[in-house]
Amino acid sequence: AQSVTQLDSQVPVFEEAPVELRCNYSSSVSVYLFWYVQYPNQGLQLLLKYLSGSTLVKGINGFEAEFNKSQTSFHLRKPSVHISDTAEYFCAVSDPSGAGGGNKLTFGTGTQLKVEL
Amino acid sequence: NAGVMQNPRHLVRRRGQEARLRCSPMKGHSHVYWYRQLPEEGLKFMVYLQKENIIDESGMPKERFSAEFPKEGPSILRIQQVVRGDSAAYFCASSPKSPGVGEQYFGPGTRLTVT
């Protein structure tokens, strides 16, 4: 079975500072990896995804993530955050060989990013 | 192009009542997924449906829960005889007829409170 661990439940950071949100996964098979963002009272929005190929993935809003197979990690980074980045961020994993062709997602518990002035 | 619609946004039910949650996928989408988010937890997959078919219901509780996605109309998640432990946010997502991986578009969720 797959699982996702987001160790940091909250991450406070000052505006224009860099940020890294950590995500580790466990799986015995190859995986697809995702980061979603949830703004208050809204649904989740896909930030970026790793399916194969380059381990550095660039997403929307200036975010990027790096897939590290040996450390089973997929940390999300942004070099300079903005107040509007305040939201909850979810890491997710799926099994490419599973039902739905990799669309059945297993989510972490989320990290609340709070950007302060 | 309207996004995924869910209604109601908030639903309060007494223990023992039934809860019906509706999800209208994005136009042109024929795949629907339901997820549940319990307090302090991540989203948990419940069920994956295509029109008139349940593809994967491995995340659905064995009793009281059912889901459908009819040929016409929204997808319905039905919870019979609700209990306090059913209080959660329920999210629906949809994807196109031939979904690329991760191309799920999420609705704003229905927050169910059981009193």
Side-chain angles (χ1 to χ4, degrees):
Chain A
Q2 299 168 326
S3 67
V4 177
T5 301
Q6 292 181 252
L7 284 174
D8 305 307
S9 60
Q10 292 187 31
V11 173
V13 63
F14 288 109
E15 194 174 34
E16 297 183 8
V19 71
E20 178 179 84
L21 306 184
R22 296 181 294 167
C23 172
N24 289 87
Y25 68 92
S26 66
S27 176
S28 59
V29 297
S30 297
V31 293
Y32 294 148
L33 294 156
F34 310 85
W35 275 99
Y36 282 84
V37 60
Q38 184 181 28
Y39 299 102
N41 298 315
Q42 294 186 29
L44 279 71
Q45 178 182 1
L46 181 65
L47 271 179
L48 47 80
K49 61 184 178 185
Y50 170 80
L51 305 183
S52 65
S54 174
T55 57
L56 183 62
V57 180
K58 294 193 183 296
I60 62 172
N61 301 341
F63 283 93
E64 63 181 31
E66 186 155 20
F67 170 55
N68 187 319
K69 188 174 182 179
S70 63
Q71 296 187 8
T72 59
S73 68
F74 191 56
H75 301 331
L76 181 71
R77 294 191 289 260
K78 186 170 182 177
S80 175
V81 295
H82 189 266
I83 287 284
S84 60
D85 293 323
T86 294
E88 184 130 26
Y89 292 79
F90 291 93
C91 181
V93 64
S94 72
D95 175 4
S97 62
N103 274 312
K104 177 182 171 181
L105 301 172
T106 299
F107 284 88
T109 52
T111 298
Q112 178 65 43
L113 175 64
K114 185 172 182 182
V115 181
E116 302 168 350
L117 292 171
Chain B
N1 188 11
V4 178
M5 310 279 283
Q6 288 188 251
N7 67 82
R9 294 290 306 275
H10 300 274
L11 181 62
V12 179
R13 284 287 177 266
R14 292 199 184 97
R15 279 178 297 171
Q17 291 185 318
E18 178 180 286
R20 281 186 180 235
L21 288 62
R22 293 175 188 77
C23 169
S24 296
M26 287 181 69
K27 188 177 180 180
H29 287 193
S30 58
H31 299 248
V32 165
Y33 314 79
W34 285 93
Y35 294 85
R36 176 166 65 173
Q37 184 179 30
L38 294 168
E40 309 300 323
E41 294 187 20
L43 281 76
K44 300 272 194 261
F45 169 82
M46 298 181 77
V47 62
Y48 165 34
L49 310 107
Q50 294 178 16
K51 290 270 187 187
E52 300 183 285
N53 277 311
I54 297 175
I55 306 302
D56 183 347
E57 57 181 347
S58 58
M60 288 280 271
K62 292 290 185 278
E63 297 177 348
R64 301 187 297 108
F65 285 72
S66 62
E68 62 176 8
F69 188 18
K71 188 175 180 181
E72 301 290 338
S75 175
I76 306 286
L77 179 67
R78 183 183 177 204
I79 312 172
Q80 295 178 290
Q81 299 175 339
V82 296
V83 301
R84 287 227 171 100
D86 296 333
S87 294
Y90 292 82
F91 290 93
C92 165
S94 73
S95 62
K97 186 176 181 180
S98 298
V101 177
E103 282 188 48
Q104 293 182 41
Y105 297 81
F106 281 79
T110 293
R111 277 145 183 88
L112 172 66
T113 302
V114 179
T115 62

